[in-house]
Amino acid sequence: MDRLVKADVKEVELVFIGGQKSTAAFRLTNLMHTMSVAVSLTTQSPSFFSFNKPFSIIPPLSSSSYTLLSQRSDQPPLSNPPDSIAVKTTMLPLGKAHHDDLRHLFSKPGIHIFKDATLPISFVGPHVIQHLISSHTYIADVDLFLNKAISGCSENQLTWLLKSAVVSGEPNLVCSLIVHGGDLNDKDTKGRSLISLAVEAGNFEVVNVLISYGCEIDNSVDHVLHYAAAIDRVDLIDFLLRAYKNVNLDSVDLCGRTPIHIAASYGYTEMIRFCLTVGGNPEVLDINRCTPLHLAAQEGHLDAVACLLEASNYSKYALNKQGKTAFALAVENEHSNLYDLLHLGDALSRAARIDNVNGIKSLLAEGANVNGKDQNGWTPLHRAAFKGGIESVKVLLNHGAQVNLVDDNGYTPLHCAVEAGHVEVAMLLIAHGAKANVKSLVPLNSDCFKNHPSYVQPVCHEKERA
């Protein structure tokens, strides 16, 4: 005979709840027609597992119920191979015996002892899965434990666990929970999708899994590009733009801000550059009529300010709801490193235009950029040369003004001086290395200049008026 009893299960499942004792019931049936059978139940971890009846007697062709108990624990004692129940039996001709007699009987090995069954012990339920999700240590065979634990979870519990796995950044667990019934398109309390949670967590692999399974987003609440911008993840923004055709970089959140606003507020220059490269608008106004430049200036982000100034002529002069420019916000928050970019350069250009030599010196002493350009690409030297301010030109040159910088139309300060007829300024610039081999240098009022085949309609006067 191969065995004396038969178990009603192949595996005993314990619903694990952290900090509580767990119990699981199973039955054994005596297969003998005429003889009682004595049963012994043991595990490899007697300090953690116990039985309501470690020794028992089952009459012929009868069944008996047993309860496996586990001690309290904060986390399930997962192992592979798992702990198991060893079911040992022996025939009992008299049909009865005292507990101590049974203990003594099973303590002696021999052919009279049958090992009828080995029942693996599995921990199931949401607490097991949450442990797998939140564990910060490596767990071997995690998929094995997960697949067993899932059998003790409802669909709602699987969905709750799916959210937890998404936030924790566990792509394999996310995939398994979706396959076993977790609701891929469930929403959080704010109505946001799992994609939003994954992007906020910054886990590219989880985002990829969710998208591959068809997770949907609602643009009115799922500001996924904003979340990616907030954590400076260019790779995520790029991936999301490719995956969802209905998202765009000019979309606004509840504050009317675009992803560029968000990146600007944190000073993420590379993120700003990427957004601009793929078509983002740097001049969108939020609900407070702030441009991204306002936010970058308010926080003192020098590189971000410089990047936004390169991309927008308007933003530097835009007024928010309080009537403040980006420069005003920089001053208000004492970000003196931004003054030149946002204002001193303008003041320096104005001083150069009116030949205010003392003003030029003062502004340069305060840190104004001698080679800073205005919205038309003109430097202070362009302005001074066009106006013929010889003393201003000298001061600027002595402070490092570059004589061959060109404006947006390719004009150098020398062009401006010649076109305006300021010979002395032109000669001074040439003496400082200005190149005279570009465009015509004939005075503007010369008929031969107008009839020259290389004549180009001058733009300096239009810029000056601007």
Side-chain angles (χ1 to χ4, degrees), residues 198-209:
V199 173
E200 277 190 320
N203 193 290
F204 186 94
E205 291 182 352
V206 171
V207 173
N208 191 22
V209 168

Side-chain angles (χ1 to χ4, degrees), residues 261-340:
H261 279 93
I262 304 301
S265 68
Y266 287 104
Y268 296 149
T269 307
E270 291 306 314
M271 175 63 72
I272 295 170
R273 286 199 179 99
F274 174 80
C275 292
L276 294 172
T277 300
V278 293
N281 183 357
E283 297 180 345
V284 175
L285 304 177
D286 68 10
I287 59 175
N288 294 313
R289 297 192 61 78
C290 286
T291 65
L293 184 63
H294 280 95
L295 303 187
Q298 181 173 283
E299 300 300 326
H301 301 308
L302 178 63
D303 290 342
V305 166
C307 180
L308 290 164
L309 285 173
E310 290 176 5
S312 170
N313 292 326
Y314 160 77
S315 298
K316 188 174 183 178
Y317 310 100
L319 302 177
N320 65 8
K321 267 190 177 180
Q322 286 72 44
K324 296 178 180 179
T325 62
F327 172 75
L329 293 178
V331 172
E332 187 176 283
N333 291 278
E334 299 182 351
H335 299 309
S336 58
N337 60 324
L338 303 182
Y339 294 174
D340 176 58

Side-chain angles (χ1 to χ4, degrees), residues 397-424:
L397 290 173
N398 289 336
H399 284 80
Q402 297 180 30
V403 293
N404 289 308
L405 287 181
V406 296
D407 68 4
D408 294 348
N409 289 291
Y411 282 80
T412 66
L414 181 56
H415 283 100
C416 296
V418 172
E419 288 186 356
H422 302 304
V423 177
E424 186 180 359

Side-chain angles (χ1 to χ4, degrees), residues 12 14 26 40-51 54 67-71 82-88 115 117-121 123:
V12 176
L14 280 170
F26 59 97
S40 167
L41 302 176
T42 59
T43 69
Q44 291 99 319
S45 305
S47 62
F48 190 79
F49 295 110
S50 60
F51 299 92
T67 302
L68 173 69
L69 303 94
S70 72
Q71 297 300 313
D83 208 330
S84 59
I85 301 170
V87 180
K88 296 180 180 179
K115 190 172 183 180
T118 300
L119 304 176
I121 301 171
F123 292 95

Side-chain angles (χ1 to χ4, degrees), residues 370-393:
V370 71
N371 292 306
K373 293 186 176 183
D374 65 12
Q375 67 269 30
N376 297 307
W378 274 30
T379 66
L381 189 58
H382 280 87
R383 292 287 181 189
F386 185 80
K387 284 295 185 179
I390 188 69
E391 294 303 320
S392 294
V393 170

Side-chain angles (χ1 to χ4, degrees), residues 135-142:
S135 177
H136 297 295
T137 58
Y138 173 74
I139 300 177
D141 303 307
V142 63

Side-chain angles (χ1 to χ4, degrees), residues 162-195:
L162 175 58
K163 288 181 182 177
S164 181
V166 166
V167 172
S168 297
E170 297 291 341
N172 292 334
L173 293 178
V174 168
C175 183
S176 294
L177 290 166
I178 292 172
V179 170
H180 285 89
D183 186 357
L184 177 67
N185 286 306
D186 189 62
K187 309 296 183 183
D188 69 1
T189 55
K190 298 178 182 178
R192 302 180 306 169
S193 72
L194 295 181
I195 289 286

